[in-house]
Amino acid sequence: METMQDANGDIAGMEPFEPWYTAQVVGATKDGDVIKYELKTKKLDESNKEVNVIREYEDFQWLEHCLVTNNDVSGLILPPLPPKPGVSASGAEAKSKKQLGSGSKALIGDEFHKDCRGLEKYLQLVLKHELLGKEESLGKFLVDKEAPMRTKLKKNILSNLSKAVGEARKGNHKDIDDTFQKERDNCNDKLTLTKEASDNFNKMVYIQLRLEGAYSHLSTMLNLGGGVLEGPSASANNMLVKFSHALDDYKHGITVFSANDENTLGFTLDLYARYQESEKEMLYRRTCKMIDLETATKNLEKAKPQKRDAAEDVKKDAEAAFDKISDVAKKEIVKYHRERVLAFQKALILYAEAKVKTARDTYALLARDLKKLKEMDSGDSAADDPQTSPVVYTPSKPF
């Protein structure tokens, strides 16, 4: 795709766009079966006006619908909207068993902070987009106190099935442009690999959560066994209690490892697994335009004299539509690859930094616990040295 950018690596013909707003999803509350998100928006003009609004997930869906229907997005790689979070008790139970194991009776609480971050990232991607960032419905979504009136979006199972069949048939249609054919092949490979990487990374995080639960259980049992601190077994019981404290410190380290993994590399893998699907959909739309052009060309060749002018007009329209989507797609692909590489670079750096910092903090806590255990033989009472506990690493700017 080198021919799609200039010598400076910029996208040819695309003016730099400065977002008109900044948006943060600062919190979420549950009202029955509905999750309400609080948005903090700042308009980037002379006024610098800030406003807080409340939105539901369906409002985000309606915004996405408006962005798609009000603009020609056929050649765009659209920012992916995160899936709707579950709110039912059965959903929470299934999620807990998936993460903590089928035998676990513990339930994972609401994780609204993850939903907020995903929706905030979606808004940031839309806001900085050269076309979508100028959409009027986006401004109303961000600053109007009342949520926009929305029509319930229907999900047609038959249309989804026919679309899947069409993708399977047209997706294998050879492209007339070798560059786009290569991009389609690479996109399919990346989609599979990114999804697998995201799923396997999540499995690793889930194993850490199960390990955390096991250490917590063991620490509790040791505390129960070391509850009697008098008599001939006092020394052994005291050692059990001290050891349980060490297990608690290590359990805390595992908790922070898991949270940091999700906040850094896990977040980016999940985002770009969905983003890769968005690129695939864009390439499919272009393939459909290409097939339309090929069909129009064949019809023109077979057209009778009295229908030739009409067939030629159809071919010209199909050619114009195909050329337009191809030009836009070239710019979008260059921009997408550049942002994807930068995002993974940043995620890997943050992931490594968080790993190193958490490991050092956990080591310091365990070294202190070991010191206390050794000093028990000499009868010394070790004072609790102030130590920095591992902390959850939250990037200042979501990537």
Side-chain angles (χ1 to χ4, degrees):
M1 309 301 291
E2 290 80 9
T3 58
M4 298 179 186
Q5 54 186 330
D6 60 23
N8 296 319
D10 295 327
I11 302 173
M14 184 172 289
E15 294 293 330
F17 173 71
E18 294 295 332
W20 294 356
Y21 301 89
T22 61
Q24 294 177 286
V25 183
V26 295
T29 55
K30 189 174 180 181
D31 184 6
D33 291 336
V34 177
I35 302 176
K36 296 184 176 180
Y37 301 95
E38 182 181 359
L39 275 62
K40 181 179 180 181
T41 303
K42 182 178 181 181
K43 191 167 185 179
L44 300 178
D45 58 8
E46 295 81 3
S47 65
N48 281 330
K49 181 181 178 181
E50 290 187 357
V51 61
N52 286 48
V53 298
I54 302 297
R55 296 290 183 262
E56 301 173 15
Y57 182 83
E58 285 72 17
D59 297 319
F60 285 88
Q61 288 181 311
W62 181 248
L63 170 64
E64 182 185 47
H65 173 75
C66 292
L67 294 174
V68 171
T69 55
N70 294 345
N71 299 279
D72 180 6
V73 299
S74 55
L76 301 184
I77 303 175
L78 296 170
L81 180 66
K84 183 176 182 178
V87 294
S88 65
S90 59
E93 182 180 1
K95 177 182 176 183
S96 300
K97 289 187 179 298
K98 178 181 179 181
Q99 296 187 13
L100 302 179
S102 57
S104 175
K105 297 187 181 300
L107 283 180
I108 297 177
D110 294 324
E111 297 178 306
F112 292 148
H113 62 285
K114 295 182 182 180
D115 304 330
C116 290
R117 188 180 177 197
L119 292 171
E120 181 176 304
K121 181 61 179 177
Y122 170 73
L123 288 177
Q124 290 175 345
L125 291 169
V126 171
L127 283 168
K128 71 177 185 179
H129 196 278
E130 291 80 1
L131 176 63
L132 305 179
K134 302 173 184 177
E135 171 60 39
E136 182 181 0
S137 60
L138 175 61
K140 292 181 178 180
F141 174 86
L142 293 172
V143 301
D144 286 359
K145 285 292 185 180
E146 293 295 327
M149 294 294 294
R150 60 182 183 273
T151 305
K152 187 174 180 60
L153 302 176
K154 296 181 180 180
K155 295 182 179 179
N156 191 324
I157 297 178
L158 292 178
S159 66
N160 290 339
L161 179 61
S162 62
K163 178 185 175 184
V165 173
E167 287 182 353
R169 180 174 61 85
K170 296 180 180 178
N172 295 325
H173 192 88
K174 184 172 177 57
D175 205 294
I176 60 175
D177 187 324
D178 290 339
T179 303
F180 272 103
Q181 181 63 52
K182 183 178 179 181
E183 182 65 25
R184 283 166 53 186
D185 294 339
N186 289 339
C187 178
N188 290 331
D189 292 340
K190 287 177 193 169
L191 177 59
T192 301
L193 293 173
T194 307
K195 283 184 176 180
E196 287 181 356
S198 181
D199 290 342
N200 290 331
F201 190 87
N202 287 333
K203 288 179 183 177
M204 182 185 71
V205 173
Y206 299 158
I207 290 173
Q208 290 178 331
L209 292 176
R210 296 174 190 179
L211 211 64
E212 174 192 340
Y215 276 111
S216 179
H217 179 71
L218 180 57
S219 173
T220 301
M221 297 304 295
L222 289 175
N223 255 310
L224 292 175
V228 180
L229 300 180
E230 297 179 357
S233 300
S235 178
N237 291 335
N238 191 25
M239 182 173 292
L240 289 178
V241 172
K242 296 288 186 185
F243 184 50
S244 74
H245 293 166
L247 291 176
D248 285 337
D249 286 337
Y250 188 57
K251 176 186 76 74
H252 178 66
I254 294 176
T255 302
V256 177
F257 272 123
S258 301
N260 288 340
D261 290 349
E262 287 185 319
N263 284 343
T264 54
L265 190 54
F267 179 83
T268 303
L269 282 169
D270 175 68
L271 171 63
Y272 278 92
R274 290 182 283 110
Y275 228 139
Q276 201 65 43
E277 188 72 51
S278 184
E279 186 196 10
K280 180 181 178 180
E281 291 175 358
M282 182 276 290
L283 292 170
Y284 170 72
R285 293 193 294 269
R286 180 186 168 278
T287 301
C288 291
K289 297 290 185 184
M290 180 183 66
I291 294 175
D292 290 343
L293 175 58
E294 291 176 351
T295 302
T297 302
K298 291 178 182 178
N299 290 339
L300 176 60
E301 293 173 353
K302 297 184 296 184
K304 295 180 180 180
Q306 62 271 27
K307 295 183 178 181
R308 189 169 184 81
D309 290 342
E312 190 169 355
D313 290 340
V314 172
K315 183 199 170 184
K316 287 181 179 178
D317 291 341
E319 189 172 19
F322 177 67
D323 289 342
K324 180 179 179 181
I325 193 174
S326 297
D327 289 341
V328 175
K330 288 177 182 179
K331 298 172 184 177
E332 283 283 297
I333 290 171
V334 171
K335 183 180 70 171
Y336 170 69
H337 285 320
R338 182 169 58 184
E339 291 180 349
R340 179 177 57 84
V341 170
L342 291 175
F344 271 104
Q345 182 184 52
K346 182 176 181 180
L348 286 169
I349 291 173
L350 293 174
Y351 174 73
E353 288 177 346
K355 282 287 189 185
V356 172
K357 186 180 187 309
T358 304
R360 287 174 176 169
D361 291 345
T362 304
Y363 172 81
L365 290 176
L366 293 178
R368 181 192 63 182
D369 293 328
L370 180 60
K371 179 181 177 183
K372 290 180 181 179
L373 286 169
K374 287 181 177 180
E375 288 176 345
M376 287 183 63
D377 290 339
S378 62
D380 294 337
S381 178
D384 287 347
D385 298 328
Q387 297 286 348
T388 301
S389 297
V391 295
V392 176
Y393 190 88
T394 304
S396 58
K397 293 182 180 180
F399 33 86

